[in-house]
Amino acid sequence: EDKKPVVVWNVTSRCNLACTHCYAATQGPADELRTDEALAVIDDLAAFGAPVLLFSGGEPLARPDILQLARHAASRGLRVVFSTNGTLIDARLAAEFKAIGLSYAGISLDGMEEVHDRFRACAGAFQRSLAGIRYCRDAGVKVGLRVTMTKDNVGDIPAIFDLMEAERIPRICLYHLVYCG
């Protein structure tokens, strides 16, 4: 049987944070597909038989039409996943995720509060990401952590596993930092 690829799509370079390790940050206006073009790409991916479409960025939730794109992808039979910093997720958005049939939300957490907020160059980012995790979990959306490991945050990894246990977060993906740029 042919194995079809999981598609990771950086739908925008826009973001509400300014992470020190991000490869996607850009200056100036975002260069991205229009909504009609993006919907056509989703149709093509569905016709091809791609099983999963992971919306990433930048911050995919910074794209105004992201829910329309996610809804369309789900309606075409794709499993829809978000890779997000989680800071823009509130109860209403988590309920939308559930209604759309979002398969999974992977939320970036790069350490405990002090380390994460420094990585994300934003005081309060940790608490906002944690709130996003809780909103997803409470809405019945499968949620997990995405952790980029570096020499600056590796000491927080045991505490992140403790947090996962305390918050009933069932999944973690650990990534190594790819230095570029």
Side-chain angles (χ1 to χ4, degrees):
E1 176 181 311
D2 261 354
K3 291 285 188 188
K4 302 288 184 172
V6 167
V7 175
V8 178
W9 184 3
N10 292 351
V11 290
T12 186
S13 59
R14 287 183 273 193
C15 190
N16 60 316
L17 299 179
C19 306
T20 57
H21 61 297
C22 183
Y23 62 85
T26 60
Q27 301 296 317
D31 183 21
E32 57 195 40
L33 297 180
R34 297 185 320 263
T35 301
D36 62 313
E37 294 171 325
L39 293 171
V41 168
I42 291 167
D43 288 340
D44 287 347
L45 292 172
F48 176 70
V52 178
L53 177 55
L54 188 155
F55 291 106
S56 188
E59 170 52 53
L61 300 177
R63 186 174 165 133
D65 63 356
I66 193 62
L67 293 180
Q68 180 184 358
L69 301 182
R71 199 173 293 110
H72 186 70
S75 77
R76 295 300 313 268
L78 291 157
R79 281 185 51 224
V80 178
V81 176
F82 280 133
S83 176
T84 171
N85 64 43
T87 61
L88 300 175
I89 300 171
D90 57 15
R92 181 199 60 77
L93 191 55
E96 281 281 338
F97 289 173
K98 183 67 175 176
I100 287 168
L102 188 72
S103 181
Y104 177 73
I107 297 181
S108 298
L109 212 61
D110 293 313
M112 298 308 288
E113 192 160 8
E114 180 186 344
V115 170
H116 180 78
D117 286 0
R118 186 174 65 244
F119 258 61
R120 300 285 158 174
C122 178
F126 177 87
Q127 289 299 330
R128 288 166 46 208
S129 294
L130 186 56
I133 290 165
R134 291 171 175 160
Y135 285 127
C136 285
R137 185 193 62 213
D138 294 348
V141 174
K142 189 189 298 185
V143 67
L145 301 184
R146 300 171 49 83
V147 180
T148 301
M149 290 188 300
T150 74
K151 64 183 181 346
D152 299 317
N153 70 349
V154 70
D156 276 7
I157 299 298
I160 288 173
F161 277 96
D162 292 342
L163 176 73
M164 288 179 66
E165 189 171 16
E167 293 289 335
R168 302 181 320 277
I169 302 167
R171 181 174 174 181
I172 187 170
C173 294
L174 299 168
Y175 301 91
H176 63 280
L177 179 63
V178 177
Y179 292 89
C180 63

